[in-house]
Each structure stands twice: as structure tokens, then as C-alpha cells.
Amino acid sequence: MFFTYLRRELRRRRKAALVVASGLALGIALVIVVTSVSSGMNGAQDKVLQSLYGLGTDMTVTKAATPATGSAQRPRFRFDAQDDDSGKEQSSDHVLVQGFTTLPSSTVGKVAGQRGVAGAVGGLSLTVVKVSGQFTRGRIQQNQGGDQPGGYGGGPPQGRVAGGGADFDVNQYTVYGTDVTEPALGPLTSSKITSGRAFQKTETDAKVAVADSAYAKEEKLEVGDTVTIKGVKFTIVGIATADSGAAAANLYIPLKRAQTLSGTKDKVTTIYVKATDSQQIDAVKKTIQKNVSGTTVTTSADLADTVSGSLSTASHLAAGVGKWLSAVVLAAAFLVAGLLTSSAVSRRVREFGTLKALGWRSGRVTRQVVGEAVVNGLVGGVLGIALGLAGAYAVTAASPTLQAQLGGGGATGGGPGGPGFGGPGRQAARTLEVALTAPVSATTIALAVGLAVTGGLIAGAFGGWRASRLRPADALRRVE
């Protein structure tokens, strides 16, 4: 009887039911789109962070940089220009530890042994500055006294040097020494090998390198080519493409080789740490800071606070304005649905009075009204989910490009290949571009269903309260 009457009443009042359902649908659709876009913002930010410190890394451990004294940290290039060097190519390169003071390699083991640490691996970030070019010897041009006062000749021969000089080019690129025995951690994990192969665990001291795809394209490098770093030739065994934004370094080489080139034996600049439980990252951070002195521990959450640019702006809008707008629209939709349901009850006074006269109790009339409102809410939920999915799909299909800037001052410092995750001394700002998507999760769908049912119950509560107050005698005296 309940469902039969429910079906008949909904069919008889299709227009009113559609208006209520449409209002709820708009509110629910907006909630889905805003929630999905916010999720996409978080995913985009995660991609930006992973491009700096690698997939699976929860925090890094570094040592605070100390101000350089004298010329110890400044590259010096010496060239001897001999008579027989004219026109000959000369080059010299200098390998610098990038942005940090170093930590002993033994610190990696200390960090790995801390409670809550699932794994730790060290890395060495380097900058190579190469100067190459040639000297050209000048030629002496002589004048036979022609420049003497009065224009008289016969004076001593006069001469000057014409031409000659030096033409040198400065090339700078980044090199990252990676622990090839632990391929699951570190910045190289944020890139995918698209040509050739990755490092083998046995190549701890091999003269091999993996090149970033953008750098390889710029320098016209391919698998099998060689690059020379401080007189040592490295064979390129693979080309890696960053999953998002810029790569951590232009070239990756085994850690031991990087230490030899830079003269920092048994030293690392960064320790990448993976926690056993992602919910305990803050606790692990405190443990490392307490037990491993002289280090700075930075989590991905710390670095996320330094992200600026259009990604940060859009994220704030989605989290602030978007959510407040969704709440206001949803509240308005619930209120309108309740008022429309209450108004519909007032137009059905004679009907409900007749039902009460036939023996229906107030509770049964109320349940009937609430049942109709819940069905309207579910219909609105279905329409809202459809509209929300369409909106999220449109955002994903458009894939607007957002910029994220990291670095450029502040207390948090550079990471491998540029500014980012780590200690003080951050370098110039680094800009990355990411495509925005709007993924819809099962949780979002469940939220939409919950909102639909809630909207129906709220509307039913308005109408049910109104219906429960009707008296049969008063209702029967009214004429529609």
C-alpha cells in the first residue's frame, strides 16, 4: 500500500518532484566538482613534490649550509697561454657540491636504524661548471716613424699589437650521484626510463650515466654516447623522462663516482627517508632530529607550504571559496526543497484529511510524506551525480596547465638539481608545470548519495511536521 500510493503520488506530481530534485541535483553536482578539483589539486601538488625528491620518499635529512670563507667554494680556472697554444682548444671544469654542506655516509645507517624508518638512501648533488675555448695570438704592426711630431719620418720604428684575445664558453649542468644499490628511493624514482636501461646494482663504481630526456635532447645525446666530466668519460646507458615538471638533475651517475669527482669521499648531501607508516611521519621526524644531531629533517608537508604560483592560488580557491560556495548552494537547495515540500503538503490538506478520516494515523501520513521527499532526494542525487561527473570529466578533458614555483628565498633550501627539499641556502625559484585533473573517487560518490538522502529527509521533515498537525475535521472543511 505504501509503495503503491507513493508511486501514484509521484507520477501525479511529476513537475513539483522534478523541481525539488533539480534543486538538490545542482547543489550535489557542485559539491562533486569542487571535491574532485580539490583532489586534483592535491594530486598535482604531489607530482610537483615527487619531481623533487622522488616517489615514495616521505622526508629528507640534510645538514645546514655554512657560509663559504675565502675562495674555497669558488671555482678557479687556470690556463697557460704559450706561444704554441694559439688557436688550440682548451677546457677545464670544476665540480661543486650543490647548495649544501655534506654529511658523512655513516649518517645514512644511523637514520635507517631509527624507529619508524622503513628505508634510507644517500645522494650527492653536484654542479659542474665547464669553461672551454681558445686563445688567439695577436700580431705586431710596425710604423716607420710616421707618427712622429710634424709628420717627419726617420724616427725609431713604432708598433702596436692588433688582433688576438681569448674566446671561452661557460657551460653549467647538474649531476646527481645516486645509490644504485637502492633504486626504490631517491629523485630518480620520479622519472621513467624511456630509452636504454636503468642502473644495475653492480655498477657502484662504473663509468655509466643516465641522462634526463630534456638535457639529452638539448645536447643531442643518445644511448651509447659518452659525456666527459672532469676528464672522465661516462657512457650513457639510459634516457629518463620526468613524470612531472623538470628532472632532479641533468645527469645521474653512481654515487661512488660522484664522490670521487667532487673529492667528497664517503660524503652525501641528502638522505632520502621512507617511513613505515605514512600516518607517523611527524613522529619519525622528531625521532631523527633527536637522535641524529646536526641535521635538518624536512617532510613533504613542509615543502608543500613553499609551493606558490597558479597551482597554489587555485588550490586556495578550491579549498576556500569553492567549499564555502558549495555549502551555501547546498544549504539553499535543502531549504528550497523543504519549503516546496511543505507547500505541497498545504495544497494536499483535503487529501490528508480524507486519509485520516479513513483511519490513517498521523505517523502514517508523515511517513508517506517523508517517503516521497526521500525519493525526490534520491532522484536529485542521481541527477547531481550525473552532472558532477560531467563537470569533473570536462575539467579533466580540458586539463588546464598550472604553474608551481618552488624556491626563491626563505628558510627551506635546495634539493637535487635545484631548489627544493632540504636545508638552507635555496637557490633561484624553480617553476614546474602540471596538468590539472578532477578525479572522482568512490568516497565522493558516497558523499553525494548521503547528501541526497539528507536533503530528502530535511524536505520530508518540513512536510511531515506540517502534515502531522492536520485535523480531519479542519481538512475536510477546506476546498482546494
Side-chain angles (χ1 to χ4, degrees), residues 95-373:
V95 181
L96 299 170
V97 175
Q98 188 181 50
F100 300 105
T101 53
T102 57
L103 289 166
S105 296
S106 58
T107 310
V108 179
K110 293 180 181 178
V111 172
Q114 300 302 309
R115 183 177 180 181
V117 175
V121 62
L124 186 64
S125 184
L126 305 174
T127 297
V128 180
V129 182
K130 183 174 184 178
V131 177
S132 58
Q134 59 188 15
F135 292 102
T136 302
R137 185 170 56 186
R139 296 180 179 276
I140 298 178
Q141 295 182 349
Q142 294 184 348
N143 296 316
Q144 297 297 326
D147 292 330
Q148 296 298 313
Y152 296 101
Q158 304 293 318
R160 62 187 180 89
V161 178
D167 183 14
F168 283 82
D169 178 60
V170 179
N171 181 29
Q172 180 173 320
Y173 57 95
T174 55
V175 176
Y176 188 77
T178 182
D179 189 341
V180 298
T181 63
E182 298 288 345
L185 277 176
L188 188 54
T189 59
S190 64
S191 298
K192 182 182 298 182
I193 300 297
T194 52
S195 180
R197 62 173 177 85
F199 292 114
Q200 298 176 354
K201 292 186 177 182
T202 58
E203 295 177 327
T204 55
D205 197 29
K207 299 176 184 179
V208 292
V210 171
D212 171 60
S213 58
Y215 182 73
K217 182 178 180 180
E218 179 184 346
E219 299 296 325
K220 298 180 181 180
L221 298 174
E222 297 180 352
V223 174
D225 291 346
T226 60
V227 291
T228 302
I229 306 174
K230 205 173 183 180
V232 180
K233 289 187 176 181
F234 291 82
T235 301
I236 297 177
V237 297
I239 305 294
T241 302
D243 291 335
S244 173
N250 299 134
L251 294 173
Y252 303 88
I253 63 176
L255 176 59
K256 190 173 181 179
R257 276 288 168 184
Q259 292 170 335
T260 302
L261 287 175
S262 59
T264 53
K265 185 179 180 181
D266 295 328
K267 300 288 185 179
V268 296
T269 53
T270 312
I271 301 173
Y272 299 86
V273 182
K274 181 176 178 60
T276 55
D277 185 355
S278 60
Q279 303 299 318
Q280 301 295 323
I281 291 178
D282 288 339
V284 175
K285 174 182 177 179
K286 292 178 181 178
T287 300
I288 296 175
Q289 288 177 325
K290 178 181 178 181
N291 298 332
V292 185
S293 60
T295 59
T296 299
V297 183
T298 309
T299 67
S300 56
D302 297 330
L303 183 59
D305 293 336
T306 70
V307 177
S308 60
S310 60
L311 174 61
S312 178
T313 302
S315 181
H316 289 156
L317 287 174
V321 178
K323 289 183 178 179
W324 275 109
L325 179 62
S326 299
V328 171
V329 172
L330 198 61
F334 285 172
L335 180 60
V336 170
L339 293 176
L340 288 177
T341 303
S342 179
S343 177
V345 169
S346 68
R347 292 194 300 269
R348 298 167 65 185
V349 170
R350 188 172 182 178
E351 173 189 340
F352 290 137
T354 302
L355 291 175
K356 284 190 173 185
L358 293 175
W360 280 39
R361 296 182 180 276
S362 295
R364 186 174 181 182
V365 174
T366 301
R367 286 195 300 271
Q368 193 70 42
V369 174
V370 172
E372 294 175 13

